[in-house]
């Protein structure tokens, strides 16, 4: 379950940046192609934040879909799963989104 390690890194970063202030909301962008399960990340977040300035904070997760550009037919397509193929059948694709894994914002008080 890689969600645990990823979430630990998020919480460590948020707590460091909060500089002792209480964290109320953390918003992350986790692209579909990262294969992170949002519910697992939320579960881990609740566990990891116990005893920190982020305890009780809400975790908001944006999960943009994957997208690719096909080098064969030169079209752009949205991915509906983890199979990296263009609808034309080509595997010669460039991933243009869906691999994001970033903290977008946090609300502290």
């Amino acid at each position: 379950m890689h969600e645990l390690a990823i979430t630990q890194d998020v919480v460590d970063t948020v707590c460091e940046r909060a500089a002792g202030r209480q964290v109320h909301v953390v918003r992350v962008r986790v692209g579909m192609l990262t294969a992170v399960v949002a519910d697992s990340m939320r579960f881990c977040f609740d566990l990891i934040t116990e005893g920190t300035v982020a305890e009780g904070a809400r975790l908001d997760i944006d999960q943009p879909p994957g997208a690719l550009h096909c080098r064969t037919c030169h079209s752009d397509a949205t991915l509906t799963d983890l199979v990296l193929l263009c609808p034309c059948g080509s595997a010669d694709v460039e991933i243009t989104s869906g691999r994001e894994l970033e903290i977008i914002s946090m609300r502290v008080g």
Side-chain angles (χ1 to χ4, degrees):
M1 174 156 83
H2 64 285
E3 288 86 357
L4 181 61
I6 291 167
T7 307
Q8 183 68 61
D9 287 344
V10 168
V11 171
D12 289 347
T13 301
V14 164
C15 290
E16 180 182 318
R17 296 292 176 126
R21 296 171 291 174
Q22 185 65 40
V23 177
H24 300 286
V25 180
V26 176
R27 185 170 166 225
V28 296
R29 179 174 294 130
V30 182
M32 185 196 78
L33 298 179
T34 61
V36 170
V37 177
D39 287 340
S40 295
M41 189 171 189
R42 283 187 189 92
F43 176 79
C44 292
F45 184 83
D46 290 342
L47 291 176
I48 294 168
T49 57
E50 286 183 16
T52 72
V53 296
E55 184 171 2
R58 185 180 78 230
L59 178 64
D60 292 338
I61 303 174
D62 295 337
Q63 284 195 291
L68 60 79
H69 177 76
C70 180
R71 293 183 186 106
T72 302
C73 72
H74 305 287
S75 67
D76 296 314
T78 300
L79 296 166
T80 57
D81 55 35
L82 297 176
V83 178
L84 305 179
L85 290 176
C86 179
C88 78
S90 174
D92 187 13
V93 299
E94 174 187 356
I95 304 304
T96 56
S97 71
R99 290 185 173 159
E100 302 88 353
L101 182 54
E102 54 198 355
I103 299 169
I104 301 301
S105 65
M106 55 188 252
R107 193 175 85 221
V108 298

